[in-house]
Amino acid sequence: MKKIEAIIRPEFLLKIKKELEKIGHFGLTITDVEGCGKQGGIIRNWRGEKYKVEFVEKVKLEIIAKDIDVEKIVKIIINTARTGEIGDGKIFILPVESVIRIRTGEEGDAAI
Amino acid sequence: MKKIEAIIRPEFLLKIKKELEKIGHFGLTITDVEGCGKQGGIIRNWRGEKYKVEFVEKVKLEIIAKDIDVEKIVKIIINTARTGEIGDGKIFILPVESVIRIRTGEEGDAAI
Amino acid sequence: MKKIEAIIRPEFLLKIKKELEKIGHFGLTITDVEGCGKQGGIIRNWRGEKYKVEFVEKVKLEIIAKDIDVEKIVKIIINTARTGEIGDGKIFILPVESVIRIRTGEEGDAAI
Amino acid sequence: MDIQVIINTIWVLVTAKLVFFMNLGFAMVESGFTRTKNTTNILSKNFIVFAIASLAYLFLGWGLMFGDGNGFIGLKGLFLLQGPDNSPLTGNDYRGVYSALSWVKVPLYAKFFFQLAFCGTAATIVSGAVAERIKYLSFIIFSFLMCMFIYPVVGHWVWGGGWLAKIGMLDFAGSTVVHSVGGWAALAGILLLGPRFGKYENGKTNIIPGHSLPLATIGTFVLWFGWFGFNPGSTMTADPVAISHIVVTTNTAAATSIISSTITSYILLGKPDLGMTLNGCLAGLVAITAPCAFVTVGASIFIGIIAGILVVLSVLFFDKIKIDDPVGALSVHLINGIFGTISVGLFAKDKIAGISTGNGLFYGGGVKLLKIQLLGVVSVGIFVFTLSLIFWYFIKKTIGIRVSLREEIEGLDIGEHGNIAYPEFYIKKTYF
Amino acid sequence: MDIQVIINTIWVLVTAKLVFFMNLGFAMVESGFTRTKNTTNILSKNFIVFAIASLAYLFLGWGLMFGDGNGFIGLKGLFLLQGPDNSPLTGNDYRGVYSALSWVKVPLYAKFFFQLAFCGTAATIVSGAVAERIKYLSFIIFSFLMCMFIYPVVGHWVWGGGWLAKIGMLDFAGSTVVHSVGGWAALAGILLLGPRFGKYENGKTNIIPGHSLPLATIGTFVLWFGWFGFNPGSTMTADPVAISHIVVTTNTAAATSIISSTITSYILLGKPDLGMTLNGCLAGLVAITAPCAFVTVGASIFIGIIAGILVVLSVLFFDKIKIDDPVGALSVHLINGIFGTISVGLFAKDKIAGISTGNGLFYGGGVKLLKIQLLGVVSVGIFVFTLSLIFWYFIKKTIGIRVSLREEIEGLDIGEHGNIAYPEFYIKKTYF
Amino acid sequence: MDIQVIINTIWVLVTAKLVFFMNLGFAMVESGFTRTKNTTNILSKNFIVFAIASLAYLFLGWGLMFGDGNGFIGLKGLFLLQGPDNSPLTGNDYRGVYSALSWVKVPLYAKFFFQLAFCGTAATIVSGAVAERIKYLSFIIFSFLMCMFIYPVVGHWVWGGGWLAKIGMLDFAGSTVVHSVGGWAALAGILLLGPRFGKYENGKTNIIPGHSLPLATIGTFVLWFGWFGFNPGSTMTADPVAISHIVVTTNTAAATSIISSTITSYILLGKPDLGMTLNGCLAGLVAITAPCAFVTVGASIFIGIIAGILVVLSVLFFDKIKIDDPVGALSVHLINGIFGTISVGLFAKDKIAGISTGNGLFYGGGVKLLKIQLLGVVSVGIFVFTLSLIFWYFIKKTIGIRVSLREEIEGLDIGEHGNIAYPEFYIKKTYF
Ligand SMILES: Nc1ncnc2c1ncn2[C@@H]1O[C@H](COP(=O)(O)OP(=O)(O)O)[C@@H](O)[C@H]1O
Ligand SMILES: Nc1ncnc2c1ncn2[C@@H]1O[C@H](COP(=O)(O)OP(=O)(O)O)[C@@H](O)[C@H]1O
Ligand SMILES: Nc1ncnc2c1ncn2[C@@H]1O[C@H](COP(=O)(O)OP(=O)(O)O)[C@@H](O)[C@H]1O
């Protein structure tokens, strides 16, 4: 099992969710995050003056997936969330040692 | 050392914290997240019409624990956060390579 | 590649970011979290009475870094975020299996 | 000075101030009923619109509306209230070019400020209906044109001694003149703008909830409060019996409409919906605006009940036909403006508060008054809708009326103002 | 028409509008002082309650209160203000069944609307005290019964020519009639409802802070503003000396109460607490409500100081005896309503603003007036508390008064309305 | 009683209530324009300040301002309005020690309450300018001193029959007496306090946006509404022509200032900025405050336009010279208070609303009036600024005026009040 963490633009979240549903994957957890990277901050106005907000709003998607699904899911994210402009975000894959479903106590792949 | 990530119903957070304190574990970090899975979204009303909110509010608990404590902690979470209804959430266990306490610079188990 | 997760006091975030920029590291993701540990909660007032807030507001910094950068980054965080008082926070290092840049599809160190 | 002039002036100015205060009410209802990403934009529109109205009505609007002229427009004293006028003298002593209001015993500027507050209301109604996608500048231009031409012309017909006044149309405080006019102008705007991105997708309607019920509630209370200026103030004379009567009919219609809209939403949704309760209150107030001085308190009970049901069904109806009105302005102001105007023809009771009107259908007066009211509704509707379409179209073809899709998704606050309303709060991202 | 009638009517209506506006104040204080998960519910209650009051008071309340009758209730002209009444004629010219207000030189509907605004206030007080656990429908039913029976009967006793009026009880603007009545009804409700889940756990009190101090501050300012209608308006006559006097006593008591409550909270907590400053303001206003026309400005200074101390101690006291009042309504309205009524017996100075009252204890009048005031406080307390208990009990046994525990934990907004107040904001989860 | 007294009293009290209500406006503008971490503190300051003003002005301020005395201060009837005074009698019938207001036909307490509301406004202006770093107690003490000494003395000069009144300085509703006085006192405070931590760093200005545009918009609308009490109420007499005139000049200047500030910000930033639109509205209102009764509606158009441009440039200027004014109070109240006072010397038209003033420069009156106005501006400026500096300095050297750096970073809400404004919302952390 792997944990896929994707930092994406917020507006693509719903589309990704729908694409994942199509391949039968339903479980995911999202967190509001802010990030910085190549993409600089955003310029805003305030009572006559401009200022820069250093961090850009992103959404973090966390998906625990069976090893064999990882590639498919990554592909879906890349295809759906890419605009080609700086700030599209990144995907990280981390190893997971075990997964437990609280409701039933099931463990491993069955719990995903 | 392991990282225990538990996605739970928000209302159980305080109980879990108290149970963990009983076994002498105090350190934890929580994040507000939203999730989807088997549990469908929530139906709400708005000016005469119904709509579905796709994501359900959950809390993510992150606990870094010594290897020998992991099982105890997982058990506590399962026992405290289980209602038996869909949406109870999941626990993921990830490997951790090292832990450092910023205040003292201590590393490893001593830093937990 | 490693994932560095640091739980820090919010007021140090901007300083850390600037220090990291000095060594040429720009990418990071932040999340608002709350934590508990050695640091007790905070006492507040409400209409004539005192109460305790169990969780203290912290910021979680997530940085994916090449193996060789990890030590430098950790040092910067420790040096910048330490006050010596309880509540300075912790750093966790987790293994990462792969990293992908959504915009280009680049993988591995190139994507960081 | 004549003591009656002093008292009337106080009454007219105090009620005008309450009507002015309704701008705050509209700003809060409309921002509460829309999304955070467009809050700065809506506040900006609802704030600047009274400034725009003040200038447009001062420069020309007042003159077109109350200047002596023909049945269709005023022709004298058009600009900047410059016509001769010796108010507060009245009757035979009056010398001036604003004779339609020569019966009102207050100075000219008091008349002007009171009428300006009404003009501003008509303009602010449009703001909510076209929210979350219209360009700021385009809204400003339309508002200016509306306050300078559209509203004053209709106002002339009904209140300025024009042709509808002459055939006996009754619209005491403006169910038609203010609310329907605002509603028709809004409808024309919505049709040319189209729905918000994501609202109607593949035959499905996505509900887009507003971001703050406390703001919407503040707004509705302020509007209800302001209506106690709007309706009784429209006497423009401190007539104790009339103003007391109007206060009670106004409040009673609001009360029954609140209850009936709440029950209707309860039946439809299984739960009582605060958004509908608030819209219900406004619906009752709009509906009682035309008849408030012409009907009994008993009749106001029924007018309110009907208004409350109408507004709920109307909101659902507009969504069904894919007319995207984020705040329910059409259901509140257009539909209930029409209903209120018609209800005069149904419920009017001669001299109930001292004003002679003849009886409506339900009081044995036959359909005479009803027909006149219907004629008023239809002719105003055609005129305002057509002229508004032309104005909107003209704006669309020149500077455009709709922001870019990218701007709409990111929010108009950033795109139009470079600003966000709540920079320190974590806001959930919306996906359309 | 008699110029005095015109002026009085303007005064009565303008002040009545300010009292109406207090509904916004209550809605904001009460939602600001409670949690986000119940905000829609509280707004809904505080919004609909004036509609309920409008209907209940119109249908029967007014008649019971002001209809001619015996010392306990009105018996004539009970329903829908249908009794004969030739207001604004007064004195010997008056012909009608509402003779308790026959001295007021305004039309009947002006009297009605003014009194209705007061009735609505009494009902809205209950809303905050029972907040965060009561069923929406049960609150609506109780409010209806309260405005139809409880409030009007007490009102009849004191203001409608009933037995307390006859023995000389003085309650100028309603410390007892409005505020204590609301307070007693709320206390009965709290006792039958029990505390909110999690408030008192294993002998420990969990403090549950409100979600928005800006809303609470808006509310308190609006209430303070509204009180400038409430107290001076209760003259129901534009008597320049009296109304000027009342405005100043009212404001002064509010000011000293703000200071004394802030200092008291500072002493207790080590820091000045805004929540207590706000409650202190309301406490001073409630306390000065009965005596505002009967005491000197100097006395109002002391009444305010005492009110501000009382409210802080009272909040702590109710928490100690596990009476869970989320917004401090009992401390503000009940305790200070009682104190204000009693203070008339202590501080009254004959004819200070033109009304003959006799002197209170501190001005050499002995305990005569004080005893009457106490009798009023006690008898109203017993009556309202008992009848409210019965009504609440009856509702509890039929449709129930408390939402399910699950609903309470999730929030009444979802459970009762299927709605949330701030759908786009991230809200911290509460664990009780 | 004299009917004119009754009517005047109603007018004075109703407008005074509107001015009182401006406290809500200031509280919302100032909290909306600052950060969440200091919201409780700002609300606390703006709430308690009217209580402080009420007591300071009652105890001594009124007497210093309106008591008979010399050209510089009142000397009779100083404390607690205890001087003999037989208002509402006027002219030859007047017997008393407050003869500067003996022409006003209302009871003493009505005069007092109206003037108190103005005094409170001057004090509340300071709150925003010193926000986010001042100690709560220090602000309270300064406000007390200001309402007891600084404001009343200037008030005596201009409105209390003092030396500026005698040489003919004209300040109808207080561009100088209220707004500039508030502004100068604020400037002195800012200079002794220094800028907020992080505002000016290494020669760079960090912009610190306010936390809620809806609150700021509520506040500005409430202030605009309140100004319809502030300016026309300053007649203190229900003179129909004058009050109607003033309402229109006031509104027109606000309208043009809104437009000109919006356009100016649009030119500078490339986008129209709501914060500047709101400040622009207030700027226009402040500027028209002195001349509202002395200039034509046409002139008010120009006064508004200039005010709107001035306020934008002034905000930028103060930031450039590192004077940190979180809400723009100096630009609105000080700069435009000065401009408004001077504009009387430029635009005054004799008897335009019935008051004889002589003509200003642009109406052929030469520079006579202009010079007097300038003298007034300068002398008030020197007096208020110096005395305020002394008071602030005295407070600084005793209890201190600034919170600790740690407290400032964490927020004054926690440090000063142990409270936060929005305990359930996730708030973004600020790093300075
Ligand atoms: N090394 C990193 N560690 C953690 N998060 C990162 C890292 N690099 C980028 N991110 C996240 O990805 C987002 C997008 O990265 P950015 O460099 O702006 O654009 P792009 O991914 O198109 O190169 C950032 O806002 C940040 O949240
Ligand atoms: N594969 C997954 N990856 C990440 N998060 C998941 C995954 N599956 C479930 N979750 C999280 O767990 C929560 C509960 O899951 P759900 O399937 O609704 O109920 P249950 O755990 O009872 O089967 C979800 O809301 C989501 O936050
Ligand atoms: N075992 C742990 N697992 C997860 N987070 C932890 C753990 N221990 C500490 N933390 C996080 O680190 C923060 C600081 O820890 P704390 O014990 O209060 O102070 P210190 O790090 O100075 O010893 C906590 O608020 C919490 O967010």
Side-chain angles (χ1 to χ4, degrees), chain B residues 9-11 13-14 18 30 32 34 42-46 51 57 59 85, chain E residues 201 406 409-410 414 417-420 423 425-432:
Chain B
R9 298 185 193 269
E11 56 262 39
L13 173 58
L14 222 62
K18 282 186 187 152
I30 60 170
D32 259 56
E34 297 178 86
I42 299 171
I43 299 298
R44 294 211 195 119
N45 300 331
W46 177 250
Y51 68 102
E57 294 186 342
V59 161
E85 282 176 55
Chain E
E201 259 185 350
R406 197 196 171 95
I409 291 172
E410 277 186 15
I414 288 295
H417 306 275
N419 233 320
I420 58 173
F425 290 85
Y426 277 95
I427 305 292
K428 294 193 181 162
K429 305 307 167 304
T430 46
Y431 312 109
F432 47 79

Side-chain angles (χ1 to χ4, degrees), chain D residues 29-46:
Chain D
V29 169
E30 293 174 12
S31 57
F33 277 177
T34 50
R35 287 168 291 179
T36 43
K37 67 179 180 182
N38 300 316
T39 301
T40 305
N41 179 253
I42 287 170
L43 295 172
S44 296
K45 278 159 51 202
N46 281 44

Side-chain angles (χ1 to χ4, degrees), chain B residues 2-4 25-30 61-66 99-104 106 111-112, chain C residues 7-9 33-40 55-58 84-92:
Chain B
K2 303 287 176 226
K3 184 182 189 198
I4 306 168
H25 185 96
F26 294 92
L28 54 87
T29 300
I30 60 170
L61 218 68
E62 286 171 288
I63 303 172
I64 307 295
K66 287 174 233 169
V99 179
I100 302 145
R101 188 190 303 276
I102 294 175
R103 172 164 51 94
T104 57
E106 284 163 287
I112 288 179
Chain C
I7 316 289
I8 58 165
R9 298 184 193 270
V33 300
E34 296 178 87
C36 56
K38 293 235 164 60
Q39 190 183 17
F55 295 97
V56 183
E57 296 186 342
K58 303 277 172 195
E85 282 176 53
I86 282 177
D88 278 352
K90 294 187 179 167
I91 301 173
F92 310 125

Side-chain angles (χ1 to χ4, degrees), chain D residues 26-316:
Chain D
F26 281 107
M28 291 304 119
V29 169
E30 293 174 12
S31 57
F33 277 177
T34 50
R35 287 168 291 179
T36 43
K37 67 179 180 182
N38 300 316
T39 301
T40 305
N41 179 253
I42 287 170
L43 295 172
S44 296
K45 278 159 51 202
N46 281 44
F47 192 82
I48 210 164
V49 75
F50 195 74
I52 298 296
S54 294
L55 299 182
Y57 202 65
L58 178 67
F59 284 131
L60 178 58
W62 161 271
L64 278 180
M65 184 153 166
F66 290 109
D68 294 343
N70 56 29
F72 291 91
I73 53 168
L75 294 167
K76 294 196 189 153
L78 285 179
F79 300 104
L80 284 162
L81 292 91
Q82 289 304 330
D85 180 279
N86 69 351
S87 304
L89 295 186
T90 55
N92 289 336
D93 301 327
Y94 179 75
R95 298 282 173 278
V97 297
Y98 308 121
S99 33
L101 288 185
S102 69
W103 58 276
V104 181
K105 278 196 175 179
V106 302
L108 178 61
Y109 279 142
K111 297 178 188 175
F112 170 73
F113 185 65
F114 187 81
Q115 294 297 336
L116 164 61
F118 277 64
C119 174
T121 303
T124 205
I125 289 168
V126 177
S127 170
V130 298
E132 306 205 288
R133 57 220 197 268
I134 197 170
K135 281 190 180 175
Y136 187 43
L137 183 60
S138 308
F139 172 76
I140 289 177
I141 292 173
F142 182 81
S143 301
F144 191 75
L145 295 172
M146 175 161 173
C147 294
M148 206 171 219
F149 299 111
I150 303 177
Y151 174 81
V153 170
V154 172
H156 186 78
W157 296 1
V158 185
W159 292 342
W163 70 277
L164 282 170
K166 281 195 186 106
I167 65 171
M169 180 184 172
L170 296 173
D171 183 8
F172 189 72
S175 286
T176 283
V177 176
V178 178
H179 296 282
S180 290
V181 165
W184 287 115
L187 180 61
I190 292 179
L191 291 181
L192 283 196
L193 269 172
R196 288 169 291 173
F197 171 70
K199 182 69 199 277
Y200 307 109
E201 260 185 348
N202 321 326
K204 222 182 107 258
T205 298
N206 288 315
I207 302 302
I208 304 178
H211 86 280
S212 174
L213 284 171
L215 290 187
T217 306
I218 289 176
T220 312
F221 266 128
V222 168
L223 287 170
W224 193 350
F225 177 59
W227 238 284
F228 291 130
F230 207 93
N231 284 3
S234 290
T235 52
M236 295 188 80
T237 298
D239 170 346
V241 171
I243 62 181
S244 305
H245 183 92
I246 293 169
V247 166
V248 175
T249 50
T250 300
N251 185 65
T252 304
T256 53
S257 184
I258 286 168
I259 308 288
S260 73
S261 62
T262 306
I263 292 176
T264 310
S265 78
Y266 182 89
I267 291 168
L268 288 176
L269 294 171
K271 306 208 165 169
D273 180 16
L274 178 57
M276 271 304 174
T277 304
L278 300 176
N279 267 178
C281 174
L282 301 179
L285 290 165
V286 169
I288 200 67
T289 293
C292 60
F294 309 139
V295 300
T296 64
V297 173
S300 72
I301 292 177
F302 293 102
I303 291 172
I305 291 174
I306 297 167
I309 298 170
L310 265 183
V311 73
V312 180
L313 301 181
S314 167
V315 163
L316 301 182

